[in-house]
Amino acid sequence: MKRGIISKIVLGLIFAYLFFPIVATLLFSVATRWSTTILPEGYTLSYYKLLFSSPEFGHALLRTINVSFATVILSILIIIPSMYLAIVYYPRLEKLFEILSILPFAMPGVILAIGLIQMYSRGPLQITNTPWILIGSYFVLILPFMYQATKNSFRTINVKALTEAAMMLGCGKLETFIKIIFPNVLRGVISAALISVSVLFGEFVLANLLVGDNYETIQIYLYKMQKVDGHLANALVASYFMVILLMSLILIWLAFRRETEVRGQKTEAR
Amino acid sequence: MSYVQVVNIDKSFQGRQVLKGIELEIEKGEFVTLLGPSGCGKTTLLRIVAGLERGDGGKVIVNGREIIEGQNKKEQNIGMVFQSYALFPNMTAFENIAFGLKIKKIPTQDIRKQVEEIMDILSISGKENNYPHQMSGGQQQRVALARALVVKPDLLLLDEPLSAVDAKVRESARILIRDVQKKMGITTIFVTHDQLEALVMSDRIVVINAGEVMQYGTPEEIYRRPANKFVAQFIGTYNFLPSSLVGIGDKETEICIRPEHILLVSKDQFPQIGNAEGIKLYGTLENFYILGNTARAEVLVQGRTIIVDHLNRFEGPKFALKEEVGLLIDKKVCTILGR
Ligand SMILES: Nc1ncnc2c1ncn2[C@@H]1O[C@H](COP(=O)(O)OP(=O)(O)O)[C@@H](O)[C@H]1O
Ligand SMILES: [Mg+2]
């Protein structure tokens, strides 16, 4: 009984610790003046209006969307078929995948960026300060998320048996992948993509060091705004938070649906 | 030339030989069962016949065409039902069954007709729109069977399709599979480790042990004339008795007698029945239990337990435990095993 109360208090404190900054950010983004009072003196949506009507914001957002989606799509096109081939034809390569997918965690962004700048700031492949280097480095950055999330999907189906069953019916290899394997790992791919996009939306270190002003992403824009106008920056953070929240909710929904489906399967089998 | 020929197939995994010089000939329309303990190489042999695995040596010919691993399976026209069924989870029962026909570019109306027909034969009509996870094990197994049958394969391969369903379903599925196979006249190789299943369903049985064919024959031949001790021990029950005990054959040979061929009689009756041909033994009744339609007695004769089976009739003789009884064996039913 006593224990229950203590754990509730601890949970409440943690929640407050996480929640207050967000509420404060939200409030500040709609406050007219807020310096000596506990709550803002007045409320306005003008910062949002300003933010969404600023062409600079629109361009930065578009750049981030472009580079994130390009990376995620490229990553899906390369990683999913590779994993499939590894599972069915070269099981030994799966270990290599596992190691590759942990490697990016071991490399701090700054070190990665300096290495990349040294490598790509002169020929033959001079791509620093272009979005291409961002796509390349982001590809590496999201590899762990793409790999882990889709690996679980591959685990839920018997990839090898399904492939052989399709082949026995005269189905070619590519067709088998497109018609049988991909639809069955699609949900994992979607959650991998959502996680990756939210990671990339928040990425600042690599973007700042590798392309900086030459390809101003939403995080670089935010960094600049913080120095100019706090209210505007907060409006930006609040909008960003909403987008991430939405993506997280979709993720939770996907995960929940999968769970109920699996449970449904088990009861059916009985 | 036989419809299916398996010629001198060898196969090793990591230096360990799992198939040794397998030879098989199967006629068109035959139902042949690969029977052996688990791990003896049945699945490996089936996969080589399917062209999913490459043998180290030898070849497989089906309907005059050599099966090559890795070659496009559209030409080869072999149907397969996997142990795990391997139904496509993202497709309904109908889509699963129609898959092979679609690959063959059969017109849509014909696909519908053929799928409905096979679903009717296998009594799974009405399940068209169910996904695999919405069906019972028995239904999934029939969908898997339908998916393999609907393309009218030259050869049907079944890898322990009944091992995952419960006993009642298994019994009816045996009959269903055999009926459909006969009706459609499809040459079939069936894999099982269950000897009863093999005896009930097969035209011929291949008994395999440790990657070698022990015997290839009809259920009758396999049961009556086991080629060696492995087959004798693996199929049904046998009493293995030294020749000295029954008084036939030379020394060192072993005599096998099925429990159902021994007659259990009361000691008083014993002298009057039987003839000169019969072997008469005395023993004590050690154990007695009911198996269902048969009953089994264990009789101790000169330090050896002999198993005797008889029909479990109500009016049958009654014996007490530890009672002295007589055993009557006809010499004709004694099998002398070749070494
Ligand atoms: N891909 C493989 N790699 C290594 N060993 C294998 C492989 N497939 C089968 N084996 C081995 O070959 C033997 C025969 O296996 P299998 O054909 O599956 O037997 P069965 O189907 O009769 O139970 C077993 O000892 C098994 O461990
Ligand atoms: Mg097997």
Side-chain angles (χ1 to χ4, degrees), chain A residues 239-254:
Chain A
S239 319
Y240 169 70
F241 173 73
M242 287 302 165
V243 172
I244 299 295
L245 184 69
L246 195 70
M247 284 207 237
S248 308
L249 286 177
I250 296 174
L251 272 176
I252 291 167
W253 177 70
L254 279 176

Side-chain angles (χ1 to χ4, degrees), chain A residues 157-158 160-173 175-176 179-180 183-184 261 264-265 268-269, chain B residues 47 50 52 72-74 76 78-80 82 84 86-91 99-100 103 133-136 147 151:
Chain A
I157 54 170
N158 189 343
K160 193 156 194 241
L162 290 181
T163 301
E164 288 178 348
M167 268 165 56
M168 288 307 290
L169 292 164
C171 193
K173 282 179 186 161
E175 213 178 351
T176 301
K179 286 190 177 160
I180 312 287
N184 283 302
E261 218 161 80
Q265 244 167 33
E268 280 285 339
Chain B
R47 288 173 57 82
L52 290 171
N72 193 320
K73 308 243 174 305
K74 231 179 238 177
Q76 120 186 349
I78 293 180
M80 184 150 178
F82 292 79
S84 60
L87 294 178
F88 307 132
N90 56 318
M91 296 185 190
F99 190 78
I103 298 281
H133 71 87
Q134 296 169 324
M135 289 184 280
S136 72
R147 183 176 69 178
V151 294

Side-chain angles (χ1 to χ4, degrees), chain B residues 13-14 16 18 37-45 53 159-160:
Chain B
F13 285 117
Q14 287 115 36
R16 200 169 57 86
V18 296
S38 122
C40 72
K42 306 178 296 288
T43 297
T44 307
L45 178 57
E53 198 96 56
D159 192 357
E160 309 214 14

Side-chain angles (χ1 to χ4, degrees), chain A residues 10-30:
Chain A
V10 172
L11 270 180
L13 283 176
I14 293 175
F15 191 70
Y17 174 75
L18 292 173
F19 199 65
F20 272 124
I22 295 169
V23 173
T25 306
L26 275 173
L27 280 178
F28 195 68
S29 70
V30 292

Side-chain angles (χ1 to χ4, degrees), chain B residues 28 49 167 179 260:
Chain B
K28 193 166 166 53
V49 173
D179 279 354
E260 65 268 30

